């Protein structure tokens, strides 16, 4: 119902539990591509699993915490963006994202997250917007850079071991409200 045009025949809209079927299909198309980089609980299987993920975000949004949005291109859900967390009292939030491979390389995430940061800073009075990514995730790091974020630091080996027993480093990037306004 409420959609923000992103150009390139794409829109950003809330993604809600009733859209679980579309989300499940999107996850099926994106699974292999995003699984190395996002939390395992996000990459649900089947419509019931997808609905659980969306319900989790709906419940959190009702508590003024996390939120999830979808990006539709030519009417098909191809990815989305998240407030992984919102702590309005502390003035801090974290944003995240995913895309199907076919939707990469068009600037959709950079534009969608820019709208979210505008809202966080100008409407919600957030002071610090964070972006957390594995250090090896070059495309994600590039989004943070494109948004004018600064690298705060590296959380060395903070990701639990994968199937090969290898732990991963994570980076914390952020942009502050003043920096966002003067970019
Ligand atoms: C991270 C991820 C969402 C980034 O997708 P992306 O398409 O690279 O990011 P954007 O949508 O912002 O697009 C930027 C790309 O579009 C290009 N582009 C084209 N038009 C553009 C425009 N108007 N504005 C900005 N970029 C534009 C950029 O040059 C860039 O391409 P390049 O990296 O090949 O130079 C995607 O790689 C992904 O889903 N990865 C797996 C899941 C994941 O890592 N999630 C994040 C966990 S922290």
């Amino acid at each position: 119902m409420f959609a923000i045009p992103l150009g390139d025949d794409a829109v950003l809209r809330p993604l809600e539990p009733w859209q679980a079927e579309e989300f499940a299909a999107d996850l099926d198309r994106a699974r292999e591509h995003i699984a190395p980089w996002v939390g395992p609980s996000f990459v649900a299987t089947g419509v019931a699993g997808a609905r659980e993920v969306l319900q989790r975000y709906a419940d959190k949004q009702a508590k003024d915490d996390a939120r999830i949005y979808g990006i539709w291109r030519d009417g098909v859900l191809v990815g989305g963006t998240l407030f992984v967390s919102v702590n309005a009292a502390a003035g801090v939030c974290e944003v995240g994202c995913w895309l199907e491979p076919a939707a990469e390389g068009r600037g959709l995430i950079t534009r969608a997250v820019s709208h979210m940061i505008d809202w966080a800073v100008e409407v919600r009075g957030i002071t610090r917007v964070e972006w957390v990514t594995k250090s090896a995730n070059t495309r994600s790091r590039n989004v943070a850079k494109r948004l004018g974020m600064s690298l705060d630091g590296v959380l060395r080996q903070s990701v639990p071991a994968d199937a090969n027993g290898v732990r991963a480093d994570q980076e914390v990037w952020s942009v502050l409200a003043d920096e966002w306004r003067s970019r």
Side-chain angles (χ1 to χ4, degrees):
M1 194 171 170
F2 305 106
I4 297 177
L6 296 177
D8 208 9
D9 299 319
V11 294
L12 180 71
R13 303 205 303 254
L15 180 56
E16 299 175 356
W18 64 271
Q19 291 153 311
E21 234 167 272
E22 277 182 287
F23 182 46
D26 167 52
L27 285 178
D28 282 346
R29 290 186 295 267
R31 187 174 316 280
E32 254 182 68
H33 179 60
I34 68 175
W37 310 116
V38 304
S41 66
F42 185 80
V43 196
T45 311
V47 176
R51 187 174 295 111
E52 269 175 38
V53 173
L54 296 181
Q55 191 61 53
R56 212 161 60 221
Y57 280 94
D59 292 345
K60 287 189 175 181
Q61 178 165 344
K63 294 178 182 154
D64 196 22
D65 192 349
R67 291 161 183 260
I68 187 165
Y69 304 94
I71 295 174
W72 280 260
R73 187 156 182 269
D74 293 327
V76 178
L77 181 65
V78 293
T81 53
L82 334 155
F83 281 109
V84 180
S85 61
V86 178
N87 186 337
V92 178
C93 70
E94 181 189 336
V95 288
C97 64
W98 83 99
L99 272 185
E100 296 175 18
E104 279 185 331
R106 301 169 191 278
L108 295 175
I109 292 297
T110 302
R111 294 199 289 282
V113 175
S114 295
H115 284 292
M116 293 168 68
I117 300 177
D118 279 343
W119 180 80
V121 168
E122 301 302 345
V123 179
R124 301 306 311 276
I126 294 288
T127 299
R128 174 183 162 83
V129 179
E130 294 182 344
W131 182 273
V132 180
T133 178
K134 286 185 184 167
S135 300
N137 194 344
T138 304
R139 289 197 88 98
S140 176
R141 297 177 82 253
N142 285 345
V143 175
K145 287 183 202 166
R146 226 178 275 116
L147 290 165
M149 292 185 166
S150 302
L151 177 60
D152 292 326
V154 181
L155 307 175
R156 295 180 301 154
Q157 298 197 5
S158 56
V159 182
D162 64 14
N164 302 315
V166 179
R167 299 183 67 95
D169 294 348
Q170 279 183 302
E171 295 178 354
V172 180
W173 293 71
S174 67
V175 62
L176 304 181
D178 288 348
E179 295 166 349
W180 184 251
R181 292 193 185 104
S182 62
R183 75 195 183 283

